[in-house]
Amino acid sequence: MTVIKPLLVADMKQRMLNERELDRLANIELAPMDDMIEQISRCTTMSSINQLLCNYHYLFSDGGVLGIDGGRSVVSVDGTQEYVIKLLTERISSDLEIMRAHMLGA
């Protein structure tokens, strides 16, 4: 969870900002973002992450009401697992690129 929580914060903040830019969340002010970050900080299990995603399903606008990201609904257990694995995979890829660049520059 130590690695997952910052990834959730970064991804969901970006999703919220993207939705605001598209005027889909025009009436939502900064307080909900603070609330979202607070909820993420309380996540301790995949079940609590799933509940979080259920609360913020509208941030996954690609799939409309169901909050589908990459083919599965993020509000489903499988969809939540796939979403978290995707975040972790992107982090690993990013870390590998940084390490390669550092090794080539050394």
Side-chain angles (χ1 to χ4, degrees):
M1 291 308 282
T2 303
V3 174
I4 294 170
K5 286 180 184 179
L7 298 175
L8 284 170
V9 169
D11 185 67
M12 292 186 69
K13 276 177 67 173
Q14 187 59 52
R15 288 176 182 274
M16 188 172 281
L17 292 172
N18 290 347
E19 291 294 307
R20 285 182 183 167
E21 285 179 17
L22 296 172
D23 286 332
R24 292 182 185 154
L25 303 178
N27 296 329
I28 295 180
E29 297 178 13
L30 290 177
M33 189 174 294
D34 292 340
D35 292 344
M36 180 182 67
I37 293 168
E38 174 62 29
Q39 287 179 38
I40 292 171
S41 73
R42 290 191 307 261
C43 289
T44 57
T45 64
M46 287 298 285
S47 179
S48 57
I49 293 172
N50 179 257
Q51 184 59 48
L52 172 82
L53 298 180
C54 288
N55 292 341
Y56 292 95
H57 66 89
Y58 56 87
L59 296 179
F60 298 85
S61 61
D62 299 8
V65 176
L66 294 178
I68 296 173
D69 184 52
R72 289 194 192 246
S73 170
V74 295
V75 299
S76 71
V77 173
D78 288 343
T80 295
Q81 290 174 347
E82 286 183 16
Y83 171 68
V84 170
I85 290 169
K86 181 180 119 185
L87 291 177
L88 289 169
T89 302
E90 289 171 356
R91 167 68 187 268
I92 291 168
S93 294
S94 174
D95 287 353
L96 286 174
E97 289 176 24
I98 291 169
M99 290 186 332
R100 282 189 193 119
H102 177 71
M103 290 168 58
L104 291 174

Short mmCIF file of all heavy atoms in Angstrom, two decimals, residues 16-77:
data_model
loop_
_atom_site.label_atom_id
_atom_site.label_comp_id
_atom_site.label_asym_id
_atom_site.label_seq_id
_atom_site.Cartn_x
_atom_site.Cartn_y
_atom_site.Cartn_z
N MET A 16 -9.21 13.76 -12.24
CA MET A 16 -10.13 14.81 -11.81
C MET A 16 -9.83 16.11 -12.54
O MET A 16 -10.74 16.81 -12.99
CB MET A 16 -10.06 15.02 -10.29
CG MET A 16 -11.13 15.96 -9.78
SD MET A 16 -11.24 16.05 -7.99
CE MET A 16 -12.16 14.55 -7.63
N LEU A 17 -8.55 16.44 -12.68
CA LEU A 17 -8.18 17.66 -13.41
C LEU A 17 -8.61 17.57 -14.87
O LEU A 17 -9.09 18.54 -15.44
CB LEU A 17 -6.67 17.90 -13.30
CG LEU A 17 -6.17 18.28 -11.91
CD1 LEU A 17 -4.65 18.30 -11.86
CD2 LEU A 17 -6.76 19.60 -11.45
N ASN A 18 -8.43 16.40 -15.48
CA ASN A 18 -8.85 16.21 -16.88
C ASN A 18 -10.36 16.40 -17.02
O ASN A 18 -10.82 17.03 -17.97
CB ASN A 18 -8.46 14.82 -17.38
CG ASN A 18 -6.97 14.67 -17.56
OD1 ASN A 18 -6.22 15.63 -17.56
ND2 ASN A 18 -6.54 13.42 -17.69
N GLU A 19 -11.12 15.86 -16.09
CA GLU A 19 -12.57 16.01 -16.14
C GLU A 19 -12.98 17.47 -15.97
O GLU A 19 -13.89 17.95 -16.62
CB GLU A 19 -13.24 15.14 -15.07
CG GLU A 19 -13.14 13.66 -15.33
CD GLU A 19 -13.90 13.23 -16.57
OE1 GLU A 19 -15.10 13.55 -16.68
OE2 GLU A 19 -13.29 12.58 -17.44
N ARG A 20 -12.27 18.18 -15.10
CA ARG A 20 -12.56 19.61 -14.91
C ARG A 20 -12.26 20.39 -16.17
O ARG A 20 -13.02 21.28 -16.54
CB ARG A 20 -11.75 20.17 -13.75
CG ARG A 20 -12.25 19.75 -12.41
CD ARG A 20 -11.43 20.36 -11.32
NE ARG A 20 -11.89 19.89 -10.02
CZ ARG A 20 -11.22 20.05 -8.91
NH1 ARG A 20 -10.06 20.67 -8.91
NH2 ARG A 20 -11.68 19.60 -7.77
N GLU A 21 -11.14 20.07 -16.84
CA GLU A 21 -10.79 20.78 -18.08
C GLU A 21 -11.85 20.56 -19.14
O GLU A 21 -12.09 21.43 -19.97
CB GLU A 21 -9.43 20.31 -18.59
CG GLU A 21 -8.27 20.86 -17.80
CD GLU A 21 -6.92 20.37 -18.31
OE1 GLU A 21 -6.85 19.86 -19.44
OE2 GLU A 21 -5.95 20.48 -17.55
N LEU A 22 -12.45 19.38 -19.14
CA LEU A 22 -13.49 19.09 -20.12
C LEU A 22 -14.86 19.60 -19.67
O LEU A 22 -15.86 19.33 -20.30
CB LEU A 22 -13.56 17.57 -20.36
CG LEU A 22 -12.31 16.96 -20.99
CD1 LEU A 22 -12.42 15.43 -20.98
CD2 LEU A 22 -12.10 17.48 -22.40
N ASP A 23 -14.88 20.33 -18.55
CA ASP A 23 -16.11 20.89 -17.97
C ASP A 23 -17.14 19.83 -17.60
O ASP A 23 -18.33 20.10 -17.53
CB ASP A 23 -16.75 21.91 -18.92
CG ASP A 23 -15.98 23.21 -18.95
OD1 ASP A 23 -15.34 23.53 -17.93
OD2 ASP A 23 -16.02 23.89 -19.98
N ARG A 24 -16.68 18.62 -17.35
CA ARG A 24 -17.60 17.58 -16.89
C ARG A 24 -17.85 17.71 -15.40
O ARG A 24 -18.84 17.21 -14.90
CB ARG A 24 -17.04 16.20 -17.21
CG ARG A 24 -16.99 15.91 -18.68
CD ARG A 24 -16.48 14.53 -18.93
NE ARG A 24 -16.33 14.31 -20.36
CZ ARG A 24 -15.49 13.46 -20.88
NH1 ARG A 24 -14.73 12.72 -20.10
NH2 ARG A 24 -15.41 13.32 -22.19
N LEU A 25 -16.89 18.34 -14.70
CA LEU A 25 -17.02 18.51 -13.25
C LEU A 25 -16.99 19.99 -12.91
O LEU A 25 -16.38 20.41 -11.93
CB LEU A 25 -15.87 17.78 -12.52
CG LEU A 25 -15.73 16.30 -12.79
CD1 LEU A 25 -14.53 15.75 -12.04
CD2 LEU A 25 -16.98 15.55 -12.39
N ALA A 26 -17.66 20.78 -13.69
CA ALA A 26 -17.60 22.24 -13.54
C ALA A 26 -18.04 22.71 -12.16
O ALA A 26 -17.53 23.69 -11.65
CB ALA A 26 -18.46 22.90 -14.62
N ASN A 27 -18.96 22.02 -11.54
CA ASN A 27 -19.49 22.45 -10.25
C ASN A 27 -18.67 21.94 -9.06
O ASN A 27 -18.94 22.30 -7.93
CB ASN A 27 -20.94 21.99 -10.09
CG ASN A 27 -21.83 22.64 -11.12
OD1 ASN A 27 -21.57 23.76 -11.54
ND2 ASN A 27 -22.85 21.93 -11.54
N ILE A 28 -17.69 21.09 -9.32
CA ILE A 28 -16.90 20.54 -8.23
C ILE A 28 -15.71 21.44 -7.96
O ILE A 28 -14.96 21.78 -8.85
CB ILE A 28 -16.45 19.10 -8.56
CG1 ILE A 28 -17.67 18.19 -8.65
CG2 ILE A 28 -15.48 18.59 -7.50
CD1 ILE A 28 -17.36 16.76 -8.96
N GLU A 29 -15.55 21.82 -6.72
CA GLU A 29 -14.44 22.69 -6.32
C GLU A 29 -13.31 21.84 -5.75
O GLU A 29 -13.33 20.63 -5.85
CB GLU A 29 -14.95 23.71 -5.30
CG GLU A 29 -16.01 24.63 -5.89
CD GLU A 29 -16.55 25.60 -4.88
OE1 GLU A 29 -15.95 25.74 -3.81
OE2 GLU A 29 -17.58 26.22 -5.18
N LEU A 30 -12.32 22.47 -5.16
CA LEU A 30 -11.15 21.76 -4.67
C LEU A 30 -11.42 20.83 -3.49
O LEU A 30 -10.71 19.87 -3.29
CB LEU A 30 -10.05 22.75 -4.30
CG LEU A 30 -9.39 23.47 -5.46
CD1 LEU A 30 -8.37 24.47 -4.94
CD2 LEU A 30 -8.75 22.50 -6.43
N ALA A 31 -12.43 21.10 -2.70
CA ALA A 31 -12.71 20.26 -1.54
C ALA A 31 -12.86 18.79 -1.88
O ALA A 31 -12.30 17.95 -1.20
CB ALA A 31 -13.94 20.77 -0.81
N PRO A 32 -13.58 18.42 -2.97
CA PRO A 32 -13.67 17.00 -3.28
C PRO A 32 -12.31 16.36 -3.57
O PRO A 32 -12.12 15.19 -3.27
CB PRO A 32 -14.58 16.95 -4.50
CG PRO A 32 -15.43 18.16 -4.35
CD PRO A 32 -14.50 19.20 -3.78
N MET A 33 -11.35 17.11 -4.12
CA MET A 33 -10.04 16.54 -4.36
C MET A 33 -9.36 16.23 -3.02
O MET A 33 -8.77 15.17 -2.85
CB MET A 33 -9.16 17.45 -5.21
CG MET A 33 -7.87 16.75 -5.63
SD MET A 33 -6.84 17.67 -6.77
CE MET A 33 -7.83 17.74 -8.23
N ASP A 34 -9.49 17.15 -2.07
CA ASP A 34 -8.94 16.91 -0.74
C ASP A 34 -9.63 15.71 -0.09
O ASP A 34 -8.99 14.89 0.56
CB ASP A 34 -9.10 18.14 0.15
CG ASP A 34 -8.23 19.31 -0.31
OD1 ASP A 34 -7.25 19.07 -1.04
OD2 ASP A 34 -8.55 20.45 0.07
N ASP A 35 -10.94 15.62 -0.26
CA ASP A 35 -11.68 14.48 0.27
C ASP A 35 -11.20 13.18 -0.36
O ASP A 35 -11.04 12.17 0.32
CB ASP A 35 -13.18 14.63 0.01
CG ASP A 35 -13.81 15.77 0.81
OD1 ASP A 35 -13.16 16.25 1.77
OD2 ASP A 35 -14.92 16.18 0.45
N MET A 36 -10.99 13.21 -1.67
CA MET A 36 -10.53 12.03 -2.39
C MET A 36 -9.16 11.58 -1.86
O MET A 36 -8.94 10.40 -1.59
CB MET A 36 -10.44 12.30 -3.89
CG MET A 36 -9.97 11.12 -4.71
SD MET A 36 -9.82 11.52 -6.46
CE MET A 36 -8.45 12.69 -6.44
N ILE A 37 -8.26 12.53 -1.66
CA ILE A 37 -6.92 12.21 -1.16
C ILE A 37 -7.02 11.63 0.25
O ILE A 37 -6.32 10.66 0.58
CB ILE A 37 -6.01 13.44 -1.22
CG1 ILE A 37 -5.75 13.81 -2.68
CG2 ILE A 37 -4.70 13.19 -0.48
CD1 ILE A 37 -5.10 15.16 -2.88
N GLU A 38 -7.90 12.18 1.06
CA GLU A 38 -8.11 11.65 2.42
C GLU A 38 -8.64 10.22 2.36
O GLU A 38 -8.20 9.35 3.12
CB GLU A 38 -9.09 12.55 3.18
CG GLU A 38 -9.48 12.03 4.54
CD GLU A 38 -8.32 11.89 5.51
OE1 GLU A 38 -7.34 12.64 5.40
OE2 GLU A 38 -8.40 11.02 6.40
N GLN A 39 -9.58 9.96 1.46
CA GLN A 39 -10.10 8.60 1.32
C GLN A 39 -9.02 7.63 0.87
O GLN A 39 -8.96 6.50 1.35
CB GLN A 39 -11.27 8.58 0.33
CG GLN A 39 -12.52 9.21 0.87
CD GLN A 39 -13.64 9.20 -0.15
OE1 GLN A 39 -13.79 8.26 -0.91
NE2 GLN A 39 -14.42 10.28 -0.17
N ILE A 40 -8.16 8.07 -0.05
CA ILE A 40 -7.06 7.22 -0.50
C ILE A 40 -6.13 6.90 0.66
O ILE A 40 -5.68 5.76 0.81
CB ILE A 40 -6.29 7.88 -1.66
CG1 ILE A 40 -7.17 7.94 -2.92
CG2 ILE A 40 -4.98 7.13 -1.95
CD1 ILE A 40 -6.59 8.78 -4.06
N SER A 41 -5.87 7.87 1.51
CA SER A 41 -4.97 7.65 2.64
C SER A 41 -5.51 6.59 3.60
O SER A 41 -4.75 5.95 4.32
CB SER A 41 -4.69 8.95 3.38
OG SER A 41 -5.82 9.36 4.13
N ARG A 42 -6.83 6.41 3.62
CA ARG A 42 -7.44 5.42 4.51
C ARG A 42 -7.54 4.03 3.88
O ARG A 42 -7.95 3.08 4.55
CB ARG A 42 -8.83 5.90 4.94
CG ARG A 42 -8.77 7.09 5.90
CD ARG A 42 -10.12 7.38 6.53
NE ARG A 42 -11.20 7.53 5.58
CZ ARG A 42 -11.69 8.68 5.14
NH1 ARG A 42 -11.18 9.80 5.57
NH2 ARG A 42 -12.68 8.71 4.28
N CYS A 43 -7.18 3.90 2.61
CA CYS A 43 -7.24 2.59 1.95
C CYS A 43 -6.18 1.66 2.54
O CYS A 43 -5.02 2.04 2.68
CB CYS A 43 -7.01 2.73 0.44
SG CYS A 43 -8.39 3.49 -0.43
N THR A 44 -6.61 0.45 2.88
CA THR A 44 -5.69 -0.53 3.44
C THR A 44 -5.74 -1.88 2.73
O THR A 44 -4.88 -2.72 2.94
CB THR A 44 -5.99 -0.76 4.94
OG1 THR A 44 -7.36 -1.17 5.06
CG2 THR A 44 -5.74 0.49 5.76
N THR A 45 -6.77 -2.08 1.91
CA THR A 45 -6.95 -3.35 1.21
C THR A 45 -7.46 -3.09 -0.20
O THR A 45 -7.87 -1.96 -0.52
CB THR A 45 -7.99 -4.23 1.93
OG1 THR A 45 -9.27 -3.56 1.88
CG2 THR A 45 -7.60 -4.51 3.38
N MET A 46 -7.46 -4.14 -1.02
CA MET A 46 -8.04 -4.01 -2.35
C MET A 46 -9.53 -3.70 -2.25
O MET A 46 -10.07 -2.98 -3.08
CB MET A 46 -7.82 -5.29 -3.17
CG MET A 46 -6.39 -5.48 -3.63
SD MET A 46 -5.82 -4.16 -4.73
CE MET A 46 -6.66 -4.61 -6.23
N SER A 47 -10.17 -4.21 -1.23
CA SER A 47 -11.58 -3.94 -1.03
C SER A 47 -11.82 -2.45 -0.78
O SER A 47 -12.77 -1.86 -1.33
CB SER A 47 -12.11 -4.76 0.15
OG SER A 47 -13.46 -4.48 0.37
N SER A 48 -10.96 -1.82 0.01
CA SER A 48 -11.14 -0.39 0.27
C SER A 48 -10.81 0.43 -0.97
O SER A 48 -11.41 1.48 -1.21
CB SER A 48 -10.32 0.08 1.48
OG SER A 48 -8.96 -0.21 1.34
N ILE A 49 -9.86 -0.04 -1.79
CA ILE A 49 -9.59 0.63 -3.06
C ILE A 49 -10.79 0.50 -3.98
O ILE A 49 -11.20 1.45 -4.64
CB ILE A 49 -8.32 0.07 -3.73
CG1 ILE A 49 -7.08 0.43 -2.90
CG2 ILE A 49 -8.17 0.62 -5.16
CD1 ILE A 49 -5.81 -0.24 -3.37
N ASN A 50 -11.41 -0.68 -3.99
CA ASN A 50 -12.60 -0.88 -4.81
C ASN A 50 -13.71 0.06 -4.39
O ASN A 50 -14.38 0.66 -5.24
CB ASN A 50 -13.06 -2.35 -4.72
CG ASN A 50 -14.30 -2.60 -5.54
OD1 ASN A 50 -15.39 -2.69 -5.00
ND2 ASN A 50 -14.13 -2.70 -6.84
N GLN A 51 -13.90 0.23 -3.10
CA GLN A 51 -14.92 1.16 -2.60
C GLN A 51 -14.62 2.58 -3.04
O GLN A 51 -15.51 3.33 -3.44
CB GLN A 51 -15.04 1.08 -1.07
CG GLN A 51 -16.15 1.93 -0.51
CD GLN A 51 -17.51 1.54 -1.05
OE1 GLN A 51 -17.86 0.37 -1.07
NE2 GLN A 51 -18.29 2.52 -1.49
N LEU A 52 -13.35 2.97 -2.96
CA LEU A 52 -12.92 4.29 -3.42
C LEU A 52 -13.27 4.48 -4.90
O LEU A 52 -13.83 5.50 -5.29
CB LEU A 52 -11.41 4.45 -3.21
CG LEU A 52 -10.79 5.70 -3.83
CD1 LEU A 52 -11.00 6.89 -2.91
CD2 LEU A 52 -9.33 5.48 -4.11
N LEU A 53 -12.94 3.48 -5.72
CA LEU A 53 -13.23 3.59 -7.15
C LEU A 53 -14.72 3.61 -7.42
O LEU A 53 -15.17 4.29 -8.35
CB LEU A 53 -12.55 2.44 -7.90
CG LEU A 53 -11.02 2.41 -7.84
CD1 LEU A 53 -10.47 1.24 -8.63
CD2 LEU A 53 -10.41 3.73 -8.30
N CYS A 54 -15.49 2.92 -6.61
CA CYS A 54 -16.96 2.99 -6.75
C CYS A 54 -17.44 4.41 -6.49
O CYS A 54 -18.30 4.92 -7.20
CB CYS A 54 -17.63 2.03 -5.77
SG CYS A 54 -17.46 0.29 -6.19
N ASN A 55 -16.84 5.06 -5.48
CA ASN A 55 -17.24 6.43 -5.15
C ASN A 55 -16.86 7.42 -6.25
O ASN A 55 -17.54 8.43 -6.43
CB ASN A 55 -16.59 6.88 -3.84
CG ASN A 55 -17.10 6.14 -2.64
OD1 ASN A 55 -18.17 5.53 -2.67
ND2 ASN A 55 -16.34 6.15 -1.56
N TYR A 56 -15.78 7.14 -6.96
CA TYR A 56 -15.27 8.06 -7.98
C TYR A 56 -15.31 7.46 -9.38
O TYR A 56 -14.50 7.81 -10.23
CB TYR A 56 -13.85 8.50 -7.62
CG TYR A 56 -13.81 9.38 -6.40
CD1 TYR A 56 -13.58 8.84 -5.15
CD2 TYR A 56 -14.06 10.74 -6.50
CE1 TYR A 56 -13.57 9.64 -4.02
CE2 TYR A 56 -14.06 11.55 -5.38
CZ TYR A 56 -13.81 11.00 -4.14
OH TYR A 56 -13.82 11.80 -3.03
N HIS A 57 -16.28 6.59 -9.63
CA HIS A 57 -16.38 5.92 -10.93
C HIS A 57 -16.47 6.91 -12.09
O HIS A 57 -15.99 6.64 -13.20
CB HIS A 57 -17.58 4.97 -10.96
CG HIS A 57 -18.88 5.69 -10.86
ND1 HIS A 57 -19.54 6.16 -11.97
CD2 HIS A 57 -19.62 6.03 -9.79
CE1 HIS A 57 -20.64 6.77 -11.59
NE2 HIS A 57 -20.73 6.71 -10.26
N TYR A 58 -17.02 8.09 -11.86
CA TYR A 58 -17.19 9.08 -12.92
C TYR A 58 -15.86 9.63 -13.43
O TYR A 58 -15.82 10.26 -14.49
CB TYR A 58 -18.09 10.22 -12.44
CG TYR A 58 -17.62 10.90 -11.18
CD1 TYR A 58 -16.71 11.95 -11.24
CD2 TYR A 58 -18.07 10.48 -9.93
CE1 TYR A 58 -16.26 12.56 -10.08
CE2 TYR A 58 -17.63 11.09 -8.78
CZ TYR A 58 -16.72 12.13 -8.85
OH TYR A 58 -16.27 12.73 -7.71
N LEU A 59 -14.77 9.40 -12.71
CA LEU A 59 -13.46 9.85 -13.19
C LEU A 59 -12.92 8.97 -14.31
O LEU A 59 -11.97 9.32 -14.98
CB LEU A 59 -12.44 9.89 -12.05
CG LEU A 59 -12.74 10.88 -10.94
CD1 LEU A 59 -11.67 10.80 -9.87
CD2 LEU A 59 -12.83 12.30 -11.50
N PHE A 60 -13.54 7.82 -14.48
CA PHE A 60 -13.14 6.90 -15.54
C PHE A 60 -14.12 7.06 -16.69
O PHE A 60 -14.86 6.16 -17.04
CB PHE A 60 -13.11 5.47 -14.99
CG PHE A 60 -12.11 5.32 -13.89
CD1 PHE A 60 -12.44 5.64 -12.58
CD2 PHE A 60 -10.82 4.90 -14.16
CE1 PHE A 60 -11.51 5.53 -11.56
CE2 PHE A 60 -9.89 4.79 -13.14
CZ PHE A 60 -10.24 5.10 -11.85
N SER A 61 -14.10 8.26 -17.27
CA SER A 61 -15.12 8.67 -18.25
C SER A 61 -15.08 7.86 -19.54
O SER A 61 -16.06 7.86 -20.27
CB SER A 61 -14.97 10.15 -18.57
OG SER A 61 -13.70 10.40 -19.14
N ASP A 62 -13.98 7.19 -19.81
CA ASP A 62 -13.91 6.39 -21.02
C ASP A 62 -15.06 5.38 -21.08
O ASP A 62 -15.56 5.07 -22.14
CB ASP A 62 -12.59 5.61 -21.09
CG ASP A 62 -11.39 6.51 -21.10
OD1 ASP A 62 -11.55 7.73 -20.90
OD2 ASP A 62 -10.28 6.00 -21.32
N GLY A 63 -15.46 4.91 -19.91
CA GLY A 63 -16.50 3.90 -19.86
C GLY A 63 -17.84 4.42 -19.42
O GLY A 63 -18.74 3.66 -19.17
N GLY A 64 -17.97 5.71 -19.30
CA GLY A 64 -19.26 6.28 -18.92
C GLY A 64 -19.66 5.92 -17.51
O GLY A 64 -18.83 5.90 -16.60
N VAL A 65 -20.89 5.60 -17.32
CA VAL A 65 -21.45 5.40 -16.00
C VAL A 65 -20.77 4.26 -15.24
O VAL A 65 -20.56 4.33 -14.05
CB VAL A 65 -22.97 5.13 -16.09
CG1 VAL A 65 -23.55 4.81 -14.74
CG2 VAL A 65 -23.67 6.32 -16.71
N LEU A 66 -20.38 3.21 -15.93
CA LEU A 66 -19.78 2.07 -15.25
C LEU A 66 -18.33 2.29 -14.87
O LEU A 66 -17.76 1.52 -14.12
CB LEU A 66 -19.88 0.81 -16.13
CG LEU A 66 -21.29 0.29 -16.37
CD1 LEU A 66 -21.25 -0.92 -17.29
CD2 LEU A 66 -21.97 -0.07 -15.07
N GLY A 67 -17.72 3.34 -15.39
CA GLY A 67 -16.33 3.60 -15.04
C GLY A 67 -15.40 2.56 -15.59
O GLY A 67 -14.59 1.98 -14.86
N ILE A 68 -15.50 2.28 -16.85
CA ILE A 68 -14.67 1.24 -17.47
C ILE A 68 -13.32 1.82 -17.83
O ILE A 68 -13.21 2.87 -18.43
CB ILE A 68 -15.36 0.65 -18.70
CG1 ILE A 68 -16.65 -0.05 -18.27
CG2 ILE A 68 -14.44 -0.31 -19.42
CD1 ILE A 68 -17.51 -0.53 -19.41
N ASP A 69 -12.27 1.11 -17.43
CA ASP A 69 -10.91 1.51 -17.74
C ASP A 69 -10.21 0.29 -18.31
O ASP A 69 -10.02 -0.70 -17.62
CB ASP A 69 -10.19 1.98 -16.47
CG ASP A 69 -8.79 2.51 -16.76
OD1 ASP A 69 -8.68 3.37 -17.65
OD2 ASP A 69 -7.84 2.06 -16.12
N GLY A 70 -9.84 0.35 -19.58
CA GLY A 70 -9.15 -0.78 -20.18
C GLY A 70 -10.03 -2.00 -20.40
O GLY A 70 -9.55 -3.12 -20.42
N GLY A 71 -11.32 -1.81 -20.54
CA GLY A 71 -12.19 -2.93 -20.87
C GLY A 71 -13.03 -3.47 -19.73
O GLY A 71 -14.03 -4.09 -19.95
N ARG A 72 -12.61 -3.28 -18.50
CA ARG A 72 -13.39 -3.77 -17.36
C ARG A 72 -13.84 -2.61 -16.49
O ARG A 72 -13.16 -1.62 -16.39
CB ARG A 72 -12.56 -4.71 -16.50
CG ARG A 72 -12.29 -6.03 -17.13
CD ARG A 72 -11.76 -6.96 -16.07
NE ARG A 72 -11.23 -8.15 -16.65
CZ ARG A 72 -11.75 -9.34 -16.48
NH1 ARG A 72 -12.79 -9.50 -15.72
NH2 ARG A 72 -11.21 -10.38 -17.04
N SER A 73 -14.95 -2.80 -15.86
CA SER A 73 -15.46 -1.77 -14.96
C SER A 73 -14.56 -1.71 -13.73
O SER A 73 -14.29 -2.72 -13.08
CB SER A 73 -16.88 -2.11 -14.54
OG SER A 73 -17.29 -1.26 -13.50
N VAL A 74 -14.06 -0.50 -13.40
CA VAL A 74 -13.21 -0.35 -12.22
C VAL A 74 -14.00 -0.57 -10.93
O VAL A 74 -13.40 -0.75 -9.88
CB VAL A 74 -12.49 1.02 -12.17
CG1 VAL A 74 -11.51 1.16 -13.31
CG2 VAL A 74 -13.48 2.15 -12.12
N VAL A 75 -15.33 -0.58 -11.01
CA VAL A 75 -16.11 -0.82 -9.80
C VAL A 75 -16.26 -2.31 -9.52
O VAL A 75 -16.76 -2.68 -8.48
CB VAL A 75 -17.49 -0.12 -9.85
CG1 VAL A 75 -17.32 1.38 -9.97
CG2 VAL A 75 -18.35 -0.67 -10.95
N SER A 76 -15.79 -3.15 -10.42
CA SER A 76 -15.79 -4.59 -10.16
C SER A 76 -14.47 -4.97 -9.48
O SER A 76 -13.47 -4.25 -9.58
CB SER A 76 -15.94 -5.38 -11.46
OG SER A 76 -14.76 -5.27 -12.24
N VAL A 77 -14.46 -6.09 -8.81
CA VAL A 77 -13.24 -6.55 -8.13
C VAL A 77 -12.14 -6.77 -9.15
O VAL A 77 -11.00 -6.32 -8.97
CB VAL A 77 -13.52 -7.83 -7.31
CG1 VAL A 77 -12.23 -8.41 -6.75
CG2 VAL A 77 -14.51 -7.54 -6.20
#
